[in-house]
mmCIF file with all atom_site columns, all heavy atoms in Angstrom:
data_model
loop_
_atom_site.group_PDB
_atom_site.id
_atom_site.type_symbol
_atom_site.label_atom_id
_atom_site.label_alt_id
_atom_site.label_comp_id
_atom_site.label_asym_id
_atom_site.label_entity_id
_atom_site.label_seq_id
_atom_site.pdbx_PDB_ins_code
_atom_site.Cartn_x
_atom_site.Cartn_y
_atom_site.Cartn_z
_atom_site.occupancy
_atom_site.B_iso_or_equiv
_atom_site.pdbx_formal_charge
_atom_site.auth_seq_id
_atom_site.auth_comp_id
_atom_site.auth_asym_id
_atom_site.auth_atom_id
_atom_site.pdbx_PDB_model_num
ATOM   1   N N   . SER A 1 80  ? 9.694  2.859  3.136  1.00 96.00 ? 300 SER A N   1
ATOM   2   C CA  . SER A 1 80  ? 10.530 3.827  3.893  1.00 96.00 ? 300 SER A CA  1
ATOM   3   C C   . SER A 1 80  ? 10.572 3.441  5.350  1.00 96.00 ? 300 SER A C   1
ATOM   4   O O   . SER A 1 80  ? 9.738  2.653  5.804  1.00 96.00 ? 300 SER A O   1
ATOM   5   C CB  . SER A 1 80  ? 9.957  5.239  3.733  1.00 96.00 ? 300 SER A CB  1
ATOM   6   O OG  . SER A 1 80  ? 8.785  5.382  4.461  1.00 96.00 ? 300 SER A OG  1
ATOM   7   N N   . GLY A 1 81  ? 11.488 4.041  6.092  1.00 97.00 ? 301 GLY A N   1
ATOM   8   C CA  . GLY A 1 81  ? 11.535 3.824  7.523  1.00 97.00 ? 301 GLY A CA  1
ATOM   9   C C   . GLY A 1 81  ? 10.264 4.322  8.188  1.00 97.00 ? 301 GLY A C   1
ATOM   10  O O   . GLY A 1 81  ? 9.731  3.654  9.084  1.00 97.00 ? 301 GLY A O   1
ATOM   11  N N   . LEU A 1 82  ? 9.824  5.464  7.770  1.00 97.00 ? 302 LEU A N   1
ATOM   12  C CA  . LEU A 1 82  ? 8.599  6.015  8.420  1.00 97.00 ? 302 LEU A CA  1
ATOM   13  C C   . LEU A 1 82  ? 7.389  5.112  8.081  1.00 97.00 ? 302 LEU A C   1
ATOM   14  O O   . LEU A 1 82  ? 6.417  5.062  8.859  1.00 97.00 ? 302 LEU A O   1
ATOM   15  C CB  . LEU A 1 82  ? 8.392  7.457  7.938  1.00 97.00 ? 302 LEU A CB  1
ATOM   16  C CG  . LEU A 1 82  ? 7.642  8.314  8.939  1.00 97.00 ? 302 LEU A CG  1
ATOM   17  C CD1 . LEU A 1 82  ? 8.257  8.302  10.326 1.00 97.00 ? 302 LEU A CD1 1
ATOM   18  C CD2 . LEU A 1 82  ? 7.630  9.781  8.469  1.00 97.00 ? 302 LEU A CD2 1
ATOM   19  N N   . TYR A 1 105 ? 13.394 10.114 16.790 1.00 97.00 ? 325 TYR A N   1
ATOM   20  C CA  . TYR A 1 105 ? 13.459 10.725 15.461 1.00 97.00 ? 325 TYR A CA  1
ATOM   21  C C   . TYR A 1 105 ? 12.185 11.521 15.258 1.00 97.00 ? 325 TYR A C   1
ATOM   22  O O   . TYR A 1 105 ? 11.058 11.065 15.543 1.00 97.00 ? 325 TYR A O   1
ATOM   23  C CB  . TYR A 1 105 ? 13.562 9.604  14.429 1.00 97.00 ? 325 TYR A CB  1
ATOM   24  C CG  . TYR A 1 105 ? 13.217 10.076 13.026 1.00 97.00 ? 325 TYR A CG  1
ATOM   25  C CD1 . TYR A 1 105 ? 13.989 11.060 12.413 1.00 97.00 ? 325 TYR A CD1 1
ATOM   26  C CD2 . TYR A 1 105 ? 12.121 9.519  12.307 1.00 97.00 ? 325 TYR A CD2 1
ATOM   27  C CE1 . TYR A 1 105 ? 13.654 11.521 11.153 1.00 97.00 ? 325 TYR A CE1 1
ATOM   28  C CE2 . TYR A 1 105 ? 11.831 9.968  11.028 1.00 97.00 ? 325 TYR A CE2 1
ATOM   29  C CZ  . TYR A 1 105 ? 12.580 10.962 10.461 1.00 97.00 ? 325 TYR A CZ  1
ATOM   30  O OH  . TYR A 1 105 ? 12.289 11.417 9.220  1.00 97.00 ? 325 TYR A OH  1
ATOM   31  N N   . GLU A 1 148 ? 14.759 3.950  20.696 1.00 98.00 ? 368 GLU A N   1
ATOM   32  C CA  . GLU A 1 148 ? 15.603 4.277  19.574 1.00 98.00 ? 368 GLU A CA  1
ATOM   33  C C   . GLU A 1 148 ? 17.014 4.452  20.157 1.00 98.00 ? 368 GLU A C   1
ATOM   34  O O   . GLU A 1 148 ? 17.262 5.329  20.966 1.00 98.00 ? 368 GLU A O   1
ATOM   35  C CB  . GLU A 1 148 ? 15.142 5.584  18.942 1.00 98.00 ? 368 GLU A CB  1
ATOM   36  C CG  . GLU A 1 148 ? 15.952 6.018  17.751 1.00 98.00 ? 368 GLU A CG  1
ATOM   37  C CD  . GLU A 1 148 ? 15.428 7.335  17.178 1.00 98.00 ? 368 GLU A CD  1
ATOM   38  O OE1 . GLU A 1 148 ? 14.220 7.533  16.949 1.00 98.00 ? 368 GLU A OE1 1
ATOM   39  O OE2 . GLU A 1 148 ? 16.298 8.246  17.032 1.00 98.00 ? 368 GLU A OE2 1
ATOM   40  N N   . ASN A 1 152 ? 18.300 9.917  17.764 1.00 95.00 ? 372 ASN A N   1
ATOM   41  C CA  . ASN A 1 152 ? 18.497 11.002 16.799 1.00 95.00 ? 372 ASN A CA  1
ATOM   42  C C   . ASN A 1 152 ? 17.809 12.279 17.321 1.00 95.00 ? 372 ASN A C   1
ATOM   43  O O   . ASN A 1 152 ? 16.591 12.249 17.499 1.00 95.00 ? 372 ASN A O   1
ATOM   44  C CB  . ASN A 1 152 ? 17.809 10.529 15.461 1.00 95.00 ? 372 ASN A CB  1
ATOM   45  C CG  . ASN A 1 152 ? 17.977 11.558 14.332 1.00 95.00 ? 372 ASN A CG  1
ATOM   46  O OD1 . ASN A 1 152 ? 18.630 12.554 14.479 1.00 95.00 ? 372 ASN A OD1 1
ATOM   47  N ND2 . ASN A 1 152 ? 17.376 11.211 13.212 1.00 95.00 ? 372 ASN A ND2 1
ATOM   48  N N   . ASP A 1 177 ? 14.089 1.129  17.230 1.00 98.00 ? 397 ASP A N   1
ATOM   49  C CA  . ASP A 1 177 ? 14.567 1.719  15.992 1.00 98.00 ? 397 ASP A CA  1
ATOM   50  C C   . ASP A 1 177 ? 16.104 1.692  16.072 1.00 98.00 ? 397 ASP A C   1
ATOM   51  O O   . ASP A 1 177 ? 16.692 2.445  16.875 1.00 98.00 ? 397 ASP A O   1
ATOM   52  C CB  . ASP A 1 177 ? 14.034 3.156  15.854 1.00 98.00 ? 397 ASP A CB  1
ATOM   53  C CG  . ASP A 1 177 ? 14.496 3.821  14.521 1.00 98.00 ? 397 ASP A CG  1
ATOM   54  O OD1 . ASP A 1 177 ? 15.447 3.353  13.917 1.00 98.00 ? 397 ASP A OD1 1
ATOM   55  O OD2 . ASP A 1 177 ? 13.852 4.804  14.145 1.00 98.00 ? 397 ASP A OD2 1
ATOM   56  N N   . THR A 1 179 ? 18.258 2.112  13.597 1.00 98.00 ? 399 THR A N   1
ATOM   57  C CA  . THR A 1 179 ? 18.798 2.698  12.374 1.00 98.00 ? 399 THR A CA  1
ATOM   58  C C   . THR A 1 179 ? 20.233 3.167  12.520 1.00 98.00 ? 399 THR A C   1
ATOM   59  O O   . THR A 1 179 ? 21.086 2.937  11.666 1.00 98.00 ? 399 THR A O   1
ATOM   60  C CB  . THR A 1 179 ? 17.907 3.870  11.904 1.00 98.00 ? 399 THR A CB  1
ATOM   61  O OG1 . THR A 1 179 ? 16.571 3.365  11.617 1.00 98.00 ? 399 THR A OG1 1
ATOM   62  C CG2 . THR A 1 179 ? 18.466 4.560  10.651 1.00 98.00 ? 399 THR A CG2 1
ATOM   63  N N   . PHE A 1 180 ? 20.514 3.872  13.636 1.00 98.00 ? 400 PHE A N   1
ATOM   64  C CA  . PHE A 1 180 ? 21.858 4.429  13.817 1.00 98.00 ? 400 PHE A CA  1
ATOM   65  C C   . PHE A 1 180 ? 22.908 3.393  14.073 1.00 98.00 ? 400 PHE A C   1
ATOM   66  O O   . PHE A 1 180 ? 24.104 3.580  13.827 1.00 98.00 ? 400 PHE A O   1
ATOM   67  C CB  . PHE A 1 180 ? 21.857 5.427  14.995 1.00 98.00 ? 400 PHE A CB  1
ATOM   68  C CG  . PHE A 1 180 ? 21.491 6.862  14.663 1.00 98.00 ? 400 PHE A CG  1
ATOM   69  C CD1 . PHE A 1 180 ? 20.517 7.082  13.721 1.00 98.00 ? 400 PHE A CD1 1
ATOM   70  C CD2 . PHE A 1 180 ? 22.101 7.959  15.318 1.00 98.00 ? 400 PHE A CD2 1
ATOM   71  C CE1 . PHE A 1 180 ? 20.139 8.372  13.385 1.00 98.00 ? 400 PHE A CE1 1
ATOM   72  C CE2 . PHE A 1 180 ? 21.739 9.247  14.986 1.00 98.00 ? 400 PHE A CE2 1
ATOM   73  C CZ  . PHE A 1 180 ? 20.792 9.461  14.013 1.00 98.00 ? 400 PHE A CZ  1
ATOM   74  N N   . SER A 1 199 ? 15.453 2.258  9.248  1.00 98.00 ? 419 SER A N   1
ATOM   75  C CA  . SER A 1 199 ? 15.319 2.996  7.961  1.00 98.00 ? 419 SER A CA  1
ATOM   76  C C   . SER A 1 199 ? 16.486 2.480  7.137  1.00 98.00 ? 419 SER A C   1
ATOM   77  O O   . SER A 1 199 ? 17.667 2.770  7.365  1.00 98.00 ? 419 SER A O   1
ATOM   78  C CB  . SER A 1 199 ? 15.456 4.506  8.160  1.00 98.00 ? 419 SER A CB  1
ATOM   79  O OG  . SER A 1 199 ? 15.733 5.134  6.938  1.00 98.00 ? 419 SER A OG  1
ATOM   80  N N   . THR A 1 201 ? 17.147 3.341  4.303  1.00 98.00 ? 421 THR A N   1
ATOM   81  C CA  . THR A 1 201 ? 17.629 4.531  3.580  1.00 98.00 ? 421 THR A CA  1
ATOM   82  C C   . THR A 1 201 ? 19.003 4.896  4.073  1.00 98.00 ? 421 THR A C   1
ATOM   83  O O   . THR A 1 201 ? 19.769 5.555  3.348  1.00 98.00 ? 421 THR A O   1
ATOM   84  C CB  . THR A 1 201 ? 16.647 5.704  3.891  1.00 98.00 ? 421 THR A CB  1
ATOM   85  O OG1 . THR A 1 201 ? 15.316 5.293  3.787  1.00 98.00 ? 421 THR A OG1 1
ATOM   86  C CG2 . THR A 1 201 ? 16.906 6.856  2.975  1.00 98.00 ? 421 THR A CG2 1
ATOM   87  N N   . LYS A 1 202 ? 19.340 4.506  5.307  1.00 98.00 ? 422 LYS A N   1
ATOM   88  C CA  . LYS A 1 202 ? 20.578 5.008  5.946  1.00 98.00 ? 422 LYS A CA  1
ATOM   89  C C   . LYS A 1 202 ? 21.715 4.039  5.700  1.00 98.00 ? 422 LYS A C   1
ATOM   90  O O   . LYS A 1 202 ? 22.148 3.853  4.567  1.00 98.00 ? 422 LYS A O   1
ATOM   91  C CB  . LYS A 1 202 ? 20.321 5.250  7.395  1.00 98.00 ? 422 LYS A CB  1
ATOM   92  C CG  . LYS A 1 202 ? 19.015 5.978  7.714  1.00 98.00 ? 422 LYS A CG  1
ATOM   93  C CD  . LYS A 1 202 ? 18.930 7.356  7.108  1.00 98.00 ? 422 LYS A CD  1
ATOM   94  C CE  . LYS A 1 202 ? 17.608 8.017  7.522  1.00 98.00 ? 422 LYS A CE  1
ATOM   95  N NZ  . LYS A 1 202 ? 17.336 9.225  6.737  1.00 98.00 ? 422 LYS A NZ  1
ATOM   96  N N   . GLY A 1 212 ? 13.998 3.198  2.027  1.00 97.00 ? 432 GLY A N   1
ATOM   97  C CA  . GLY A 1 212 ? 13.352 1.933  2.408  1.00 97.00 ? 432 GLY A CA  1
ATOM   98  C C   . GLY A 1 212 ? 13.338 1.780  3.911  1.00 97.00 ? 432 GLY A C   1
ATOM   99  O O   . GLY A 1 212 ? 13.894 2.562  4.683  1.00 97.00 ? 432 GLY A O   1
ATOM   100 N N   . LEU A 1 334 ? 21.772 10.311 6.725  1.00 98.00 ? 554 LEU A N   1
ATOM   101 C CA  . LEU A 1 334 ? 22.969 9.760  7.331  1.00 98.00 ? 554 LEU A CA  1
ATOM   102 C C   . LEU A 1 334 ? 23.236 8.356  6.755  1.00 98.00 ? 554 LEU A C   1
ATOM   103 O O   . LEU A 1 334 ? 22.363 7.790  6.090  1.00 98.00 ? 554 LEU A O   1
ATOM   104 C CB  . LEU A 1 334 ? 22.753 9.640  8.868  1.00 98.00 ? 554 LEU A CB  1
ATOM   105 C CG  . LEU A 1 334 ? 21.568 8.789  9.300  1.00 98.00 ? 554 LEU A CG  1
ATOM   106 C CD1 . LEU A 1 334 ? 22.002 7.557  10.034 1.00 98.00 ? 554 LEU A CD1 1
ATOM   107 C CD2 . LEU A 1 334 ? 20.617 9.628  10.157 1.00 98.00 ? 554 LEU A CD2 1
HETATM 108 C C1  . LIG B 2 .   ? 16.336 7.046  13.440 1.00 63.86 ? 175 LIG B C1  1
HETATM 109 C C2  . LIG B 2 .   ? 15.474 7.147  12.243 1.00 63.86 ? 175 LIG B C2  1
HETATM 110 N N1  . LIG B 2 .   ? 14.405 6.396  12.127 1.00 63.86 ? 175 LIG B N1  1
HETATM 111 C C3  . LIG B 2 .   ? 13.551 6.492  11.102 1.00 63.86 ? 175 LIG B C3  1
HETATM 112 C C4  . LIG B 2 .   ? 13.780 7.372  10.067 1.00 63.86 ? 175 LIG B C4  1
HETATM 113 C C5  . LIG B 2 .   ? 12.831 7.468  8.898  1.00 63.86 ? 175 LIG B C5  1
HETATM 114 O O1  . LIG B 2 .   ? 13.300 6.741  7.845  1.00 63.86 ? 175 LIG B O1  1
HETATM 115 P P1  . LIG B 2 .   ? 12.921 7.144  6.284  1.00 63.86 ? 175 LIG B P1  1
HETATM 116 O O2  . LIG B 2 .   ? 13.496 8.465  6.033  1.00 63.86 ? 175 LIG B O2  1
HETATM 117 O O3  . LIG B 2 .   ? 13.495 6.001  5.552  1.00 63.86 ? 175 LIG B O3  1
HETATM 118 O O4  . LIG B 2 .   ? 11.411 7.193  6.239  1.00 63.86 ? 175 LIG B O4  1
HETATM 119 C C6  . LIG B 2 .   ? 14.894 8.186  10.122 1.00 63.86 ? 175 LIG B C6  1
HETATM 120 C C7  . LIG B 2 .   ? 15.175 9.183  9.044  1.00 63.86 ? 175 LIG B C7  1
HETATM 121 O O5  . LIG B 2 .   ? 15.968 10.050 9.181  1.00 63.86 ? 175 LIG B O5  1
HETATM 122 C C8  . LIG B 2 .   ? 15.773 8.099  11.223 1.00 63.86 ? 175 LIG B C8  1
HETATM 123 O O6  . LIG B 2 .   ? 16.867 8.859  11.374 1.00 63.86 ? 175 LIG B O6  1
#
Side-chain angles (χ1 to χ4, degrees):
S300 72
L302 208 51
Y325 165 61
E368 180 184 308
N372 183 2
D397 182 341
T399 298
F400 273 37
S419 162
T421 315
K422 316 299 182 191
L554 58 115

